[in-house]
C-alpha cells in the first residue's frame, strides 16, 4: 500500500487482505446480522401500532414480568456463587482446583434440554421429592421455582468464569498487604478486591443476565407452558409463532434482541474504557 | 482458627494469610452440589434404575440412534465450517486494520447474547421456502429450512464465537519475530502460515472446535424451528428427549439424556486434555 | 462497590415488585383452562366473551389462563401437577385418565354437564394442497404410492387418535370387517407418514408452513382455520366418505377448583359453553354446536353432511383406549418407524 513494489513479508498482499475482510463481513452479515434485521422487520411489518399492541397483550406483559422475576432471582444467586467460587479458586492453592473449575464449566457443555430434564426427574410427580414438596404447598415443576432452578443451572458458570481468570491474573499481593495492615477478610474484599474486579464482575453479570432472560430449552422442559402464568418471553415467542401470530412472536423476540444488543454495547463500552481491568481471556 | 485449619490441611492446601477459604470453598461446593451435581446424579440414578437391558434397548432404538446421528453429524459439519471461518475471522480482527473493526469484533459475540429461540424463528423466516432467501433458493432446488441443511445453518450461526474467542487471544500473543525469522529464512507467506503460525494455534483451534461441537450437539432452541423435525432425517436428540417427555416416557427420555451427558463429559475431558497438552507443549493455555 | 450495592438493591427490589404483582394477579378470580391444540382461537374468543358475561352478571373481574398442547400430553401434565380448574380436552379417555389417577374429577363427570359433557363436536377431514394435485378423495387414496400423509402422534395427541379410529372405521367397512386387511391398511397408511408431531397444531404447521406431505388428517375446525388464516388459495378441504363423530369433552377439575375456591366460577365457565353465545362462538370457530337451535344458520352451512361413526362402535373409550393406544396396543404393533 505504502509502496507498490514493497511487500511486507509478514503480512498478506492487499488484495488477499481485502478478500479475507470481505469474506468475514459477508459471513457475519449472513449468519448474524441478517437474522437480527429480520427480527425487527418482521416485528414492524404491520406498523408501529400493531407492534405495540402485540407487546401490550396481557399474556405478553406477564411473560415479560415473569422473565424479569426469574432473572432477578437467578442472576444474584449466581453472582454470589461466582464471587465465592472465584475467591476460593483464585486466592488459594489447593489440590483438585482444576477439577473444580471443570465442574463449574459443566453446564456449558450440557444440553439445555437436559438441564431442564434433571429437575423434572428430581421434582416431577413420579419422583420422591415432588409429591413431598407438593404436600407442603410447594409446586416446583410446571411452576416458577422450576423455571428459576433451570435458569440458575444454565447460567451457573457465567459470573464465575469471568472472575476466575481475572482474579488469578491479579494475584494475592493486594489482599495480603491489606491484611498485614490489619484489615479483616471482609474489608480486604470490599476495599481491595472488589474495586479491582468490578468491571469484570459487571460484564459477567451482563452476560449472565442476557442468557437468563433468553434461555429457552431448559425452561421449556420445566414450564408447563401456561399462558400468563409460567410462560417466559422466549417461550411466549414460540407459542405466538405456533399461533401463526408472526407479528406478536417477532415483537416479543425484538425485545430480547434489543437486550442482546444492549448487552453488547455495554460490553464494548466496558472494554474500551476499562480494557485493562477486564480479563483478556474471555472464553465464553 | 484459620491458621489451625490451614496447618491441619497443609498437605492439600498451601497456607495463606488471606481468610475466607473455608467459607467460600464450602459455599461453592454446597451450591455446586445442590444445583448441578445432585440433579445430574438424579439423572444417572434414574438411568441406572432402568436396568442394563432396558437401557440398551432404549438407546439402541432406531429412532434414538437416528436422532443422535443427526445431532452429531450436523454439529460436526457446523463445527468444521466454524473452525475455518472462525480462524479467518480471528485473523482479520487481530491482524488487519479496517474501518469498523471494533464493531465487527462486537458483532462476533452476538450469537452468545441472542436467545436461541429468537435466532431460530429469524433463521426460519429467512430460509423457509417462502422466506427472504429461501424463496430465491427454492427455484434453484436448494431447500434449507426443514432439512438437515437448516440445522447446520442454525448451528453455524450460534457456534461461531466459540472458535473466534478461543483463537483470538492466542493469536494476539504470537510474536511477529518468529514470522520475520521464517520469512528471512526464505519461507513464503503460505509456508509461514501453515508451518509456523497454525501449529502454534492448534490447541486453541481444537478447543474452539470442541466447544462449538459440544454446543451444537446439545443445541435445541435455534434448531427446532428450522429443522422440520422429521424422524431419521432432521430430528435432533434433544428434541427427541422432549418428545419422549411429552409422551411421559421418562425411561426413554432419561436414557437419551444419559447418552448425551456422557458425550458432554467426553467433550469436556477432551477440552481439558487439549489445554493440559498445550500448557506442556507451548507453555500457555487460552 | 457502590455499583454492586445498587445493583443488588435494584435486583431485590425487582424481586419484590414481581412477587407482589404476581400475587396481585392471583388475588383476583383466576381460572386455568388446560385444553388441547386446535382450540387456541376458539378459547381466546370464548374467554373474552365469558369474562364480559361474568362481569355483567356479578361485577367481578375474571382472568382466564390457557394452556394448549397435545391432548394426551396435557392430561399427563394435569396428572403431574398442573393445577387446572377446568380441562377441555380432545377425548373422553384423557379426562378419564385424570379422574382415575388423581381422583380430582368425579368418576361420573360425563353426567355432570349437558350432552354428556360435550358442548361441541367435530370430525376428521382431509386438508390437501390447492387443486388436490394427488387426487385424494377418500381413505383409499392415502396409501397411493406417492402420497405422504401428515398426522400427529396418537400417543400424545387426541386428534391423532380420532384420525386413527376414523381410518380404522373406514377400513372395517371397506373390507367387511376382515381384521387382517384392516390392520394391513392401517400399517400401510402409517408407512406414508413421514413426521409424527406431538400435537395437532404441530402437524398443521408441518403441513402448512413447512410444506411437507400431500394430505393432512385434521380436525374439521383445524382444517378450516388453516384455510382461513393461511389463504384459501393454497389448500382445499376434502370430506372423506366416512369419518368419525369426535366428541371433545369438558370437565371441572373439582379437586383443584375446590382447593383454589374457584368451583362456582369454573362451573359457570363450563355451563356458558352451552349458551347461545358459546354455541355461536363454537360454530364460528368451525366446531359443530351441540345445540344448533340458537346458532346462526349461515354458520351451520359450512359443515358437510357425512357418514359419521361414533366411538361406541369401538366399544367406547374405556375399551378402545387400551386396545388401540395402550402400551403394546394396536398402534404400537402397527407403527414401526423407519421401515
Amino acid at each position: 500500500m505504502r509502496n507498490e513494489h514493497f511487500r511486507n513479508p509478514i503480512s498478506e498482499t492487499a488484495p488477499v487482505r481485502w478478500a479475507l475482510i470481505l469474506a468475514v463481513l459477508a459471513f457475519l452479515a449472513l449468519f448474524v446480522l441478517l437474522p437480527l434485521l429480520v427480527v425487527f422487520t418482521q416485528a414492524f411489518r404491520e406498523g408501529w401500532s400493531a407492534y405495540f399492541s402485540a407487546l401490550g397483550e396481557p399474556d405478553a406483559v406477564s411473560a415479560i414480568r415473569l422473565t424479569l422475576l426469574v432473572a432477578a432471582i437467578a442472576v444474584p444467586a449466581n453472582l454470589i456463587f461466582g464471587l465465592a467460587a472465584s475467591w476460593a479458586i483464585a486466592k488459594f492453592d489447593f489440590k483438585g482446583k482444576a477439577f473444580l473449575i471443570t465442574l463449574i464449566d459443566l453446564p456449558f457443555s450440557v444440553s439445555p434440554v437436559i438441564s431442564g430434564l434433571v429437575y423434572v426427574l428430581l421434582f416431577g410427580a413420579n419422583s420422591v421429592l415432588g409429591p413431598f414438596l407438593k404436600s407442603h404447598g410447594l409446586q416446583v415443576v410446571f411452576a416458577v421455582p422450576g423455571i428459576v432452578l433451570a435458569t440458575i443451572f444454565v447460567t451457573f458458570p457465567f459470573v464465575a468464569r469471568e472472575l476466575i481468570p481475572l482474579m488469578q491474573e491479579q494475584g494475592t499481593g493486594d489482599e495480603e498487604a491489606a491484611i498485614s495492615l490489619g484489615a479483616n477478610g471482609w474489608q480486604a474484599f470490599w476495599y481491595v478486591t472488589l474495586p479491582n474486579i468490578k468491571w469484570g464482575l459487571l460484564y459477567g453479570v451482563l452476560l449472565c443476565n442476557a442468557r437468563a432472560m433468553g434461555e429457552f430449552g431448559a425452561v421449556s422442559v420445566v414450564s408447563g407452558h401456561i399462558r400468563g402464568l409460567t410462560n417466559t418471553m422466549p417461550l411466549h415467542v414460540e407459542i405466538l409463532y405456533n399461533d401463526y401470530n408472526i407479528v406478536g412472536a417477532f415483537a416479543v423476540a425484538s425485545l430480547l434482541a434489543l437486550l442482546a444488543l444492549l448487552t453488547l454495547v455495554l460490553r464494548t463500552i466496558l472494554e474500551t474504557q476499562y480494557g485493562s481491568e477486564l480479563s483478556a481471556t474471555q472464553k465464553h | 482458627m484459620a491458621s489451625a485449619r490451614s496447618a491441619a490441611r497443609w498437605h492439600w492446601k498451601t497456607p495463606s494469610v488471606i481468610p475466607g477459604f473455608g467459607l467460600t470453598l464450602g459455599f461453592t461446593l454446597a451450591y455446586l452440589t445442590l444445583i448441578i451435581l445432585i440433579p445430574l446424579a438424579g439423572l444417572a440414578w434414574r438411568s441406572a434404575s432402568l436396568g442394563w437391558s432396558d437401557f440398551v434397548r432404549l438407546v439402541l432404538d432406531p429412532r434414538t440412534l437416528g436422532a443422535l446421528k443427526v445431532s452429531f453429524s450436523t454439529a460436526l459439519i457446523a463445527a468444521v465450517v466454524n473452525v475455518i471461518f472462525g480462524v479467518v475471522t480471528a485473523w482479520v480482527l487481530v491482524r488487519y486494520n479496517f474501518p469498523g473493526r471494533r464493531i465487527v469484533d462486537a458483532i462476533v459475540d452476538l450469537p452468545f447474547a441472542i436467545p436461541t429461540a429468537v435466532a431460530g424463528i429469524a433463521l426460519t423466516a429467512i430460509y423457509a421456502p417462502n422466506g427472504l432467501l429461501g424463496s430465491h433458493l427454492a427455484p434453484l432446488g436448494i431447500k434449507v429450512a426443514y432439512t438437515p441443511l437448516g440445522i447446520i445453518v442454525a448451528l453455524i450461526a450460534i457456534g461461531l464465537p466459540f472458535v473466534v474467542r478461543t483463537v483470538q487471544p492466542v493469536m494476539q500473543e504470537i510474536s511477529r519475530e518468529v514470522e520475520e525469522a521464517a520469512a528471512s529464512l526464505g519461507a513464503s507467506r503460505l509456508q509461514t502460515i501453515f508451518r509456523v503460525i497454525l501449529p502454534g494455534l492448534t490447541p486453541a483451534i481444537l478447543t474452539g472446535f470442541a466447544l462449538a461441537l459440544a454446543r451444537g450437539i446439545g443445541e435445541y432452541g435455534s434448531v427446532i424451528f428450522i429443522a422440520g423435525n422429521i424422524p431419521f432425517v432432521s430430528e435432533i436428540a434433544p428434541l427427541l428427549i422432549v418428545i419422549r417427555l411429552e409422551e411421559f416416557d421418562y425411561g426413554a427420555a432419561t436414557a437419551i439424556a444419559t447418552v448425551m451427558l456422557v458425550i458432554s463429559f467426553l467433550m469436556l475431558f477432551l477440552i481439558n486434555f487439549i489445554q493440559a497438552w498445550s500448557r506442556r507443549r507451548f507453555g500457555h493455555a487460552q | 462497590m457502590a455499583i454492586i450495592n445498587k445493583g443488588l438493591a435494584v435486583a431485590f427490589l425487582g424481586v419484590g415488585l414481581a412477587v407482589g404483582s404476581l400475587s396481585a394477579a392471583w388475588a383476583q378470580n383466576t381460572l386455568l383452562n388446560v385444553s388441547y391444540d386446535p382450540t387456541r382461537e376458539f378459547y381466546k374468543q370464548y374467554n373474552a366473551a365469558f369474562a364480559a358475561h361474568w362481569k355483567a352478571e356479578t361485577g367481578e373481574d375474571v382472568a382466564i389462563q390457557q394452556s394448549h398442547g397435545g391432548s394426551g400430553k396435557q392430561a399427563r401434565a394435569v396428572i403431574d401437577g398442573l393445577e387446572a380448574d377446568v380441562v377441555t380436552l380432545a377425548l373422553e379417555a384423557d379426562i378419564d385418565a385424570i379422574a382415575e389417577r388423581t381422583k380430582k374429577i368425579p368418576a361420573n363427570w360425563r353426567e355432570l354437564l349437558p350432552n354428556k359433557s360435550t358442548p361441541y363436536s367435530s370430525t376428521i377431514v382431509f386438508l390437501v394442497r390447492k387443486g388436490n394435485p394427488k387426487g385424494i378423495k377418500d381413505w383409499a387414496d392415502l396409501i397411493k404410492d406417492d402420497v405422504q400423509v401428515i398426522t400427529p402422534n396418537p400417543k400424545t395427541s387426541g386428534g391423532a387418535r380420532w384420525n386413527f379410529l376414523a381410518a380404522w372405521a373406514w377400513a372395517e367397512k371397506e373390507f367387511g370387517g376382515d381384521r387382517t386387511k384392516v390392520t394391513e391398511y392401517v400399517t400401510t397408511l402409517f408407512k406414508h407418514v413421514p413426521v409424527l408431531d406431538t400435537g395437532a397444531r404441530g402437524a398443521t404447521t408441518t403441513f402448512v408452513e413447512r410444506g411437507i406431505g400431500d394430505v393432512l388428517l385434521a380436525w374439521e375446525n383445524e382444517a378450516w382455520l388453516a384455510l382461513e388464516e393461511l389463504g384459501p388459495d393454497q389448500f382445499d378441504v376434502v370430506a372423506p366418505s366416512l369419518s368419525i363423530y369426535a366428541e371433545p369433552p369438558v370437565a371441572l377439575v373439582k379437586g383443584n377448583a375446590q382447593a383454589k375456591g374457584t368451583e362456582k366460577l369454573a362451573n359457570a365457565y363450563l355451563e356458558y359453553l352451552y349458551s347461545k353465545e358459546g354455541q355461536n362462538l363454537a360454530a364460528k370457530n368451525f366446531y359443530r354446536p351441540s345445540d344448533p337451535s340458537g346458532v346462526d344458520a349461515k354458520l351451520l352451512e359450512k359443515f358437510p353432511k357425512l357418514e359419521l361413526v361414533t366411538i361406541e362402535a369401538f366399544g367406547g373409550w374405556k375399551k378402545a383406549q387400551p386396545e388401540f393406544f395402550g402400551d403394546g396396543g394396536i398402534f404400537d404393533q402397527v407403527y414401526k418407524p423407519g421401515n
Side-chain angles (χ1 to χ4, degrees):
Chain A
M1 299 273 276
R2 285 150 291 182
N3 182 331
E4 293 285 314
H5 303 287
F6 171 75
R7 197 178 77 73
N8 183 345
I10 61 161
S11 186
E12 288 72 43
T13 55
V16 173
R17 264 201 318 259
W18 283 106
L20 286 179
I21 290 170
L22 286 179
V24 165
L25 291 181
F27 184 79
L28 288 175
L30 189 62
F31 284 98
V32 184
L33 284 184
L34 189 60
L36 192 68
L37 202 69
V38 162
V39 170
F40 290 102
T41 53
Q42 294 281 340
F44 288 106
R45 74 178 187 181
E46 282 167 23
W48 283 91
S49 63
Y51 176 81
F52 283 111
S53 72
L55 290 181
E57 282 262 302
D59 289 344
V61 172
S62 69
I64 294 169
R65 194 184 286 157
L66 178 62
T67 300
L68 292 175
L69 169 72
V70 169
I73 301 171
V75 174
N78 282 336
L79 166 73
I80 294 166
F81 161 74
L83 285 172
S86 52
W87 183 268
I89 288 169
K91 301 296 173 196
F92 302 95
D93 265 321
F94 56 94
K95 293 225 169 77
K97 193 195 258 190
F99 182 64
L100 182 60
I101 296 177
T102 305
L103 284 181
I104 291 173
D105 268 351
L106 196 58
F108 275 142
S109 49
V110 171
S111 172
V113 167
I114 296 179
S115 316
L117 171 71
V118 291
Y119 290 108
V120 173
L121 293 180
L122 207 59
F123 296 112
N126 57 358
S127 67
V128 187
L129 276 174
F132 171 78
L133 290 175
K134 173 107 204 191
S135 67
H136 290 75
L138 183 63
Q139 167 90 7
V140 178
V141 174
F142 303 129
V144 176
I147 297 174
V148 171
L149 280 174
T151 305
I152 291 182
F153 185 111
V154 170
T155 56
F156 185 84
F158 278 88
V159 178
R161 220 44 191 99
E162 202 55 44
L163 290 185
I164 291 169
L166 179 61
M167 279 168 70
Q168 275 176 332
E169 223 164 80
Q170 290 170 350
T172 56
D174 291 354
E175 286 81 9
E176 279 162 2
I179 283 161
S180 71
L181 290 173
N184 66 26
W186 282 111
Q187 287 168 327
F189 173 73
W190 280 109
Y191 297 108
V192 179
T193 313
L194 211 48
N196 278 335
I197 59 166
K198 60 185 180 221
W199 300 119
L201 183 67
L202 186 59
Y203 181 44
V205 166
L206 281 175
L207 285 182
C208 184
N209 182 60
R211 181 71 192 269
M213 291 191 173
E215 177 52 28
F216 176 74
V219 168
S220 161
V221 174
V222 294
S223 127
H225 302 265
I226 311 167
R227 279 168 209 243
L229 199 59
T230 63
N231 239 359
T232 62
M233 286 164 78
L235 298 181
H236 200 56
V237 168
E238 186 198 22
I239 284 197
L240 292 172
Y241 190 77
N242 283 338
D243 285 355
Y244 310 124
N245 183 350
I246 300 300
V247 170
F250 279 99
V252 178
S254 74
L255 290 186
L256 290 166
L258 273 181
L259 173 75
L261 284 175
L262 187 70
T263 304
L264 289 188
V265 168
L266 287 176
R267 178 206 114 108
T268 310
I269 293 171
L270 282 180
E271 242 180 21
T272 35
Q273 301 289 57
Y274 309 101
S276 56
E277 292 175 49
L278 279 169
S279 164
T281 45
Q282 278 146 6
K283 209 169 91 174
H284 292 289
Chain B
M1 178 65 204
S3 63
R5 186 191 289 119
S6 49
R9 295 185 184 166
W10 133 259
H11 53 281
W12 71 278
K13 174 188 169 283
T14 316
S16 162
V17 296
I18 301 175
F21 178 69
L23 178 70
T24 54
L25 187 69
F27 179 77
T28 301
L29 291 179
Y31 191 76
L32 180 78
T33 308
L34 277 177
I35 299 290
I36 309 289
L37 299 183
I38 289 180
L40 287 181
L43 174 68
W45 181 73
R46 276 298 260 275
S47 176
S49 67
L50 285 173
W52 183 247
S53 65
D54 262 4
F55 179 78
V56 170
R57 181 180 56 80
L58 290 169
V59 171
L60 294 185
D61 171 71
R63 192 160 160 202
T64 304
L65 289 180
L68 285 169
K69 210 170 98 187
V70 169
S71 279
F72 201 81
S73 55
T74 51
L76 191 68
I77 295 170
V80 168
V81 174
N82 275 333
V83 159
I84 297 166
F85 276 93
V87 171
V88 173
T89 304
W91 185 259
V92 165
L93 289 176
V94 170
R95 288 300 176 94
Y96 304 157
N97 237 323
F98 57 96
R101 192 180 61 86
R102 279 213 88 88
I103 297 171
V104 173
D105 194 65
I107 287 171
V108 168
D109 268 347
L110 205 55
F112 278 156
I114 208 130
T116 53
V118 175
I121 61 167
L123 287 168
T124 310
I126 295 170
Y127 290 102
N130 52 1
L132 199 60
L133 291 179
S135 58
H136 297 286
L137 294 172
L140 308 173
I142 304 171
K143 281 186 77 178
V144 179
Y146 321 130
T147 69
L149 193 56
I151 305 179
I152 295 171
V153 166
L155 295 183
I156 290 174
I158 57 142
L160 176 78
F162 288 94
V163 179
V164 179
R165 290 299 178 237
T166 40
V167 171
Q168 200 177 11
V170 183
M171 225 176 230
Q172 243 145 12
E173 281 168 28
I174 294 177
S175 126
R176 293 271 176 129
E177 287 159 22
V178 187
E179 288 168 58
E180 277 165 14
S184 67
L185 289 170
S188 74
R189 187 65 191 149
L190 275 181
Q191 280 173 326
T192 310
I193 288 173
F194 282 96
R195 297 265 175 90
V196 179
I197 298 174
L198 279 181
L201 291 175
T202 307
I205 293 174
L206 284 177
T207 305
F209 172 78
L211 285 171
L213 183 63
R215 173 72 195 264
I217 293 172
E219 178 58 20
Y220 176 72
S222 63
V223 173
I224 53 160
F225 295 97
I226 201 173
N229 309 328
I230 305 168
F232 303 97
V233 179
S234 60
E235 180 179 74
I236 55 167
L239 176 68
L240 190 57
I241 295 178
V242 172
I243 290 176
R244 292 305 186 212
L245 264 185
E246 290 183 349
E247 295 175 3
F248 279 70
D249 188 348
Y250 281 97
T254 309
I256 305 166
T258 307
V259 172
M260 294 196 65
L261 197 62
V262 169
I263 296 175
S264 302
F265 276 122
L266 289 178
M267 301 297 300
L268 210 58
F269 177 74
L270 180 74
I271 293 165
N272 277 329
F273 176 77
I274 297 167
Q275 303 253 334
W277 169 67
S278 123
R279 256 192 300 273
R280 271 200 309 278
R281 182 147 188 255
F282 301 97
H284 63 72
Q286 58 294 320
Chain C
M1 183 170 52
I3 284 179
I4 284 147
N5 279 336
K6 239 182 241 164
L8 278 177
V10 168
F12 286 124
L13 194 69
V15 176
L17 281 177
V19 169
S21 49
L22 271 184
S23 45
W26 273 118
Q28 47 173 277
N29 291 314
T30 307
L31 278 186
L32 172 57
N33 175 4
V34 172
S35 193
Y36 63 111
D37 246 339
T39 58
R40 292 161 193 258
E41 290 72 18
F42 168 59
Y43 276 111
K44 195 171 178 192
Q45 297 171 19
Y46 177 76
N47 290 345
F50 175 74
H53 163 76
W54 187 255
K55 175 97 179 164
E57 199 100 308
T58 65
E60 289 170 24
D61 285 314
V62 53
I64 299 150
Q65 271 141 359
Q66 282 292 141
S67 170
H68 295 276
S71 182
K73 171 193 156 190
Q74 294 291 77
R76 306 270 186 131
V78 174
I79 293 170
D80 232 12
L82 190 56
E83 291 185 330
D85 298 277
V86 298
V87 284
T88 53
L89 295 177
L91 39 81
E92 190 189 335
D94 287 330
I95 299 184
D96 277 339
I98 303 172
E100 273 162 39
R101 301 266 202 98
T102 67
K103 311 280 180 225
K104 283 179 179 171
I105 299 176
N108 68 340
W109 62 271
R110 287 215 76 170
E111 285 133 45
L112 300 178
L113 286 163
N115 197 35
K116 287 162 68 193
S117 294
T118 310
Y120 41 77
S121 68
S122 190
T123 187
I124 300 299
V125 297
F126 301 163
L127 188 67
V128 298
R129 309 228 172 257
K130 189 73 193 173
N132 199 354
K134 297 278 168 90
I136 295 159
K137 301 222 164 53
D138 206 353
W139 294 96
D141 300 320
L142 300 184
I143 56 168
K144 287 199 289 196
D145 276 351
D146 59 339
V147 172
Q148 281 195 325
V149 182
I150 304 297
T151 170
N153 185 348
K155 289 267 179 183
T156 49
S157 157
R161 275 177 258 173
W162 291 114
N163 291 349
F164 189 97
L165 293 179
W168 190 274
W170 173 83
E172 283 223 304
K173 192 182 174 210
E174 180 77 9
F175 303 118
D178 183 336
R179 185 67 180 250
T180 328
K181 282 193 175 158
V182 173
T183 313
E184 199 179 285
Y185 166 76
V186 178
T187 310
T188 319
L189 175 62
F190 271 87
K191 284 190 180 147
H192 288 257
V193 177
V195 199
L196 278 182
D197 285 291
T198 53
R201 183 49 60 91
T204 308
T205 307
T206 298
F207 181 76
V208 167
E209 308 247 295
R210 301 181 182 160
I212 295 168
D214 303 299
V215 53
L216 172 73
L217 308 186
W219 289 99
E220 185 176 43
N221 61 291
E222 183 82 352
W224 283 106
L225 176 80
L227 207 64
E228 198 171 67
E229 287 269 308
L230 302 151
D233 52 330
Q234 292 185 43
F235 307 99
D236 286 321
V237 172
V238 172
S241 67
L242 178 150
S243 191
I244 196 148
Y245 176 68
E247 307 168 279
V250 300
L252 170 77
V253 188
K254 209 169 175 179
N256 288 344
Q258 275 178 343
K260 289 198 237 166
T262 52
E263 197 178 353
K264 188 168 154 254
L265 176 67
N267 258 324
Y269 177 79
L270 292 179
E271 275 157 15
Y272 193 63
L273 282 169
Y274 295 89
S275 71
K276 198 177 147 213
E277 291 76 12
Q279 293 288 304
N280 265 298
L281 273 179
K284 208 181 270 173
N285 285 281
F286 312 105
Y287 290 91
R288 297 178 178 218
S290 64
D291 175 17
S293 57
V295 176
D296 190 346
K298 255 202 208 130
L299 293 173
L300 297 172
E301 279 169 16
K302 300 171 302 206
F303 302 112
K305 298 256 178 305
L306 42 101
E307 189 186 343
L308 296 176
V309 175
T310 65
I311 187 66
E312 273 64 42
F314 295 88
W317 273 112
K318 289 229 172 8
K319 181 168 174 288
Q321 170 67 25
E323 183 184 349
F324 283 89
F325 308 113
D327 278 334
I330 291 172
F331 175 72
D332 279 349
Q333 294 158 28
V334 156
Y335 181 66
K336 300 258 178 357
N339 332 334

